Each structure stands twice: as structure tokens, then as C-alpha cells.
Amino acid sequence: IQHGKGRRYYLFIFLYPFLSYFTFFGLFVIGYLALYTLYVCLKRKTLFKPLILASFLLSTGYVLVEYRLFRLIFFSGEPTIRDTMANTWYDFGGVLKETLLVFTNSIFHAEDLRRYFLLPVVLIYCVWLNFGHIRSRDWKSMKKDPFNHIILLILFNCIIYGLYFMETFHQLIVTILPPLKGWQFNRTVFFNPFLFCLAFGIVIYRLTRNRHKKTAIFLCICALLVPLGKQSLYNDFYNTVYSHAYQLIKQQETESLSWREFYSEELFALIKEQIDYQDEYSVAYGFHPAVLSYNDISTLDACLSHYYQSYKEKFREVIVPALEKSEAARIYYDEWGGRAYIFSGTDESIWKPAKTMQVTDYELSVNIDAFKEMKGTYIFSRIPVSNAATLNLALCGEFTEPSSPYTIWVYKAL
């Protein structure tokens, strides 16, 4: 777009939001593009219309795709869970520690394995490259080198992440941009795994260009072997290979769920047919509500980064018996609330996906009157509820299906 290579790219950038996720990446993509557009305009000393138009089209695409979120944030006038989320503040030492930690380990949904190979390679090359620039006093090349630009951007993202936990800086950003209240603007760090890979790619390219092809191939093989040999939370490649290898060698299944098993479409299609499901509101117990949503079952529970505080308070009335039993669950819900789930009260992470459901408490800790006030009808549970009669719940059936590891008990509020 910047170099006028074709109008079709305007269409591509407009459609990008349909394949992206605004709350994790979109806001930061818009922000970086806006900053770059400002830089180009200042450099040219005139409005550069192609990039301005691109920024407008990207923003418009996100508004169209996420219209409900924008309505919630800017036009509802109602407080959201972001207004009541608890923040953790650190002193300068704590901020510096978080900055260094995220440089080596990354966080949340951007967790990666860079520290085992990519990080050392990139840092060693960075030192070697810039030592050469300093020794030859070639400051111009040092400033213009795209590898150094990437490293600076990585450091910038890490610093922003650390400063997020400094109360004065956080309040300054929120004062300047009130809609960012409660928004984790430090998630610019989500770009760092890509940036480290990009920096590594430059190292490989330069090695190949300088006739070190064998070294480049060796480094690439090592980089590919790391995710195969090391488990991490989002390393699906490792988990898939491990599960298949375990089944082949041990001749027995692992506890890991495949995509098909996790969502169990055939099972829930059977359940919906058997109970004559008519879009009544439901909740999940012992598994993620996303399973119900995926199978076109309307839920009162969900994992959402933004929703009305009033809804959080209503749902809290449903789960208050569990929150009263577990202080950890109460803190988790009251100070965050992104997971409006049915809690156990005794068993932690009751929704953890696994083939075998192991619990110590078969009582369902809910306020059934509050559940019905929210127009809740069905409870889909992986656990047989021992106090169903006390809660005035009728068992609609116990359901299994050969392709699914789940056994689902369905209860109806009378």
C-alpha cells in the first residue's frame, strides 16, 4: 500500500479483522499502523493518504466485526467487568523483574519456548553484530539495521508490559485514553514471539548469504526440534505427537482430548434430540461452556474478556454457594470474572479438559432460584449431581456416545 503496488491490498487489510481477534491483537495492530502512518506523514511533511486510508479501512473492519464490543465499551454507558478487575502494582524493582521475565518467557496466550534456543541465538548474533558496528564506528549502519529495529521493538513491548504494573504510569494512560481502563494494553508483548522468529529469520538469511548454509540449516533443525522435545501450555504440536506416541507404545489412551473429543458434536446432537432442546438457556458443569456454545446450545456461562458488570453480579448470585465454600474461587471470580463458570466449591479447575473426570464432591453448589431468574433451564454436567432432589432438578438422562469420552448428565430446573 505504501509503495502503490495495487489496490487489492486495501481489500485485504479491510478483511483482515474477519480473521483476527480485536481484544488480543487488533487494537495493537491499529496502534502500530497509526504510529507508523504518523511517522511517514511527519517524514514527508504532508498527509500520506494511502496509509491513512489503510488505517481507516482496518479500523472500520474491526468495528464491523466487533460491533457488539464497541457498543458495549463506547455507547452502552454501563460499567463492565473491566471497571472492577483488581490490578497488581509493583515498585520499580518489581516492574524491572516483570520486564526481564517477559523478555525471556513471554506470557499468557503468547507463551513460547524461545528461551531454549531462539533467544540465545538472537542475543549472541545481536552482540556480535553491534560489536562489529561499534568497532568500525559505523553508527549509520547500526541505526539503520532492520535486525536492530526488531530488537528495539521487542524491548519496547517488554518495557510497556512492565510499566503496566506501575500504578502512576497505568493511571496516566487511562487518563489520556479512558476506554483503556481495565484493558491490558501491555499485551503488545503478544507480538514478541513473532518478532523473535523474524529476528531469527534474519540471522538465517544472513548466514546463507554469507556462505554459511550448513550452519543455517543446522540452526533451523534445532529450532524445529525444540517444540517437539519440550512441553508447554499451548504446544499442540508436542501434545499431539506425545499422545500418539504414548498410545502406540503403551497401547492405551492418554488423558488428552482431541479437538473432536473435546467438542463431541455427535454426543450433543444426540442429547439435543433426546431432550427436545428448544434453545433454552443452559450451563456447563465439569467442562468448558464453549463446548455447549460450539454445539449451538445457548449458555448463561462463558469465558469473556468484556461483559456488563450487572451481568457478572447476577451470575454471581447463581454461584454464590460455591464462592462461599472456596475463598480461592471467590477471589478468582470477584477480582477478575472473565470466567463466569459454575464452580465446585471444593475441587479446583473443575472444567479442566480430560478424558477421566475425577472429583471429590458430587454436590452442585448453586442457587437454583437465581439460575431460574436468569431464565436458566438445563444443567449439562460431567458429574452426577448428588443433591439434585434438594435443588429441585429433574434428571433428563445420562448420555454417552462411542466417539466421545464424555458421560453427560442433563438436569432440568423445575
Side-chain angles (χ1 to χ4, degrees):
I1 287 172
Q2 182 175 347
H3 298 288
K5 296 287 186 176
R7 293 184 178 180
R8 64 184 181 276
Y9 292 105
Y10 287 115
L11 177 63
F12 292 162
I13 202 167
F14 174 73
L15 294 178
Y16 174 76
F18 289 80
L19 302 172
S20 180
Y21 190 16
F22 179 76
T23 54
F24 278 7
F25 299 104
L27 178 67
F28 309 115
V29 174
I30 291 172
Y32 277 135
L33 180 57
L35 288 173
Y36 183 71
T37 301
L38 178 63
Y39 164 76
V40 172
C41 290
L42 291 173
K43 188 176 181 181
R44 291 171 176 258
K45 298 181 180 179
T46 184
L47 294 177
F48 189 59
K49 294 180 181 178
L51 283 182
I52 293 174
L53 177 58
S55 297
F56 173 77
L57 290 173
L58 181 65
S59 302
T60 302
Y62 273 115
V63 170
L64 291 176
V65 173
E66 301 281 3
Y67 69 93
R68 289 173 297 181
L69 179 61
F70 280 90
R71 183 177 62 193
L72 171 69
I73 298 172
F74 297 108
F75 303 112
S76 68
E78 288 193 43
T80 71
I81 62 169
R82 291 285 169 176
D83 296 310
T84 57
M85 284 184 181
N87 288 312
T88 302
W89 308 121
Y90 297 127
D91 57 15
F92 179 77
V95 168
L96 182 60
K97 182 180 178 181
E98 288 296 318
T99 302
L100 294 173
L101 184 66
V102 81
F103 178 77
T104 57
N105 296 323
S106 198
I107 53 156
F108 302 147
H109 315 286
E111 181 182 336
D112 61 12
L113 299 166
R114 78 175 74 125
R115 60 192 178 276
Y116 296 104
F117 187 73
L118 253 64
L119 179 62
V121 171
V122 168
L123 288 181
I124 290 170
Y125 179 76
C126 183
V127 172
W128 177 84
L129 173 70
N130 290 295
F131 179 76
H133 286 314
I134 294 170
R135 187 174 58 182
S136 61
R137 298 179 181 272
D138 189 0
W139 312 114
K140 188 175 181 180
S141 296
M142 186 177 181
K143 288 192 293 183
K144 287 188 173 182
D145 197 309
F147 180 88
N148 285 336
H149 295 168
I150 292 170
I151 297 301
L152 288 174
L153 187 54
I154 289 171
L155 291 173
F156 172 79
N157 290 334
C158 293
I159 291 169
I160 291 297
Y161 177 81
L163 289 175
Y164 177 84
F165 298 102
M166 182 177 286
E167 187 173 10
T168 51
F169 178 80
H170 189 278
Q171 292 302 323
L172 174 64
I173 297 297
V174 170
T175 302
I176 297 171
L177 296 169
L180 290 185
K181 182 181 181 181
W183 200 302
Q184 289 181 272
F185 54 81
N186 63 341
R187 287 188 173 184
T188 56
V189 78
F190 279 18
F191 289 108
N192 279 6
F194 166 75
L195 292 172
F196 269 105
C197 289
L198 187 58
F200 180 74
I202 291 176
V203 175
I204 296 301
Y205 169 74
R206 291 178 178 178
L207 283 170
T208 305
R209 186 185 63 184
N210 293 323
R211 299 181 181 180
H212 296 292
K213 188 174 181 180
K214 289 183 179 179
T215 303
I217 292 173
F218 173 75
L219 292 177
C220 286
I221 292 172
C222 291
L224 289 170
L225 288 175
V226 169
L228 180 61
K230 182 66 179 177
Q231 186 179 22
S232 64
L233 183 60
Y234 295 102
N235 190 351
D236 288 338
F237 179 58
Y238 175 92
N239 294 332
T240 299
V241 172
Y242 174 83
S243 294
H244 284 289
Y246 186 92
Q247 290 173 187
L248 185 65
I249 296 169
K250 297 284 189 178
Q251 293 297 306
Q252 65 185 65
E253 294 186 344
T254 67
E255 283 295 303
S256 299
L257 296 173
S258 67
W259 176 284
R260 181 178 288 111
E261 290 170 333
F262 180 78
Y263 287 110
S264 293
E265 292 180 75
E266 292 84 358
L267 173 61
F268 286 96
L270 171 67
I271 294 174
K272 288 163 67 177
E273 181 182 352
Q274 292 293 318
I275 68 174
D276 190 28
Y277 178 73
Q278 299 295 328
D279 205 35
E280 295 91 347
Y281 282 113
S282 309
V283 292
Y285 184 53
F287 60 103
H288 287 282
V291 175
L292 297 183
S293 299
Y294 187 88
N295 286 287
D296 294 323
I297 296 172
S298 301
T299 63
L300 293 174
D301 48 348
C303 182
L304 297 170
S305 59
H306 246 94
Y307 64 96
Y308 292 129
Q309 176 67 21
S310 58
Y311 190 91
K312 178 182 176 181
E313 292 167 359
K314 286 181 183 178
F315 192 82
R316 192 185 193 283
E317 291 301 313
V318 176
I319 62 174
V320 69
L323 301 186
E324 289 175 348
K325 291 181 181 178
S326 171
E327 179 64 7
R330 186 198 66 77
I331 293 172
Y332 187 68
Y333 186 78
D334 287 347
E335 295 190 0
W336 181 48
R339 277 201 174 102
Y341 282 14
I342 302 298
F343 290 84
S344 167
T346 52
D347 291 295
E348 294 183 8
S349 299
I350 194 70
W351 52 80
K352 183 179 180 180
K355 289 180 180 176
T356 305
M357 176 56 66
Q358 296 178 340
V359 296
T360 60
D361 186 2
Y362 291 86
E363 283 195 3
L364 180 63
S365 300
V366 296
N367 180 342
I368 205 66
D369 292 328
F371 175 69
K372 289 191 288 187
E373 283 179 14
M374 294 188 73
K375 299 183 180 179
T377 301
Y378 290 110
I379 298 172
F380 291 76
S381 176
R382 286 194 68 189
I383 302 158
V385 177
S386 61
N387 59 333
T390 304
L391 295 174
N392 204 21
L393 297 174
L395 178 63
C396 299
E398 177 185 342
F399 301 93
T400 59
E401 204 276 332
S403 65
S404 172
Y406 299 151
T407 296
I408 300 293
W409 287 265
V410 181
Y411 297 90
K412 186 174 185 179
L414 300 175

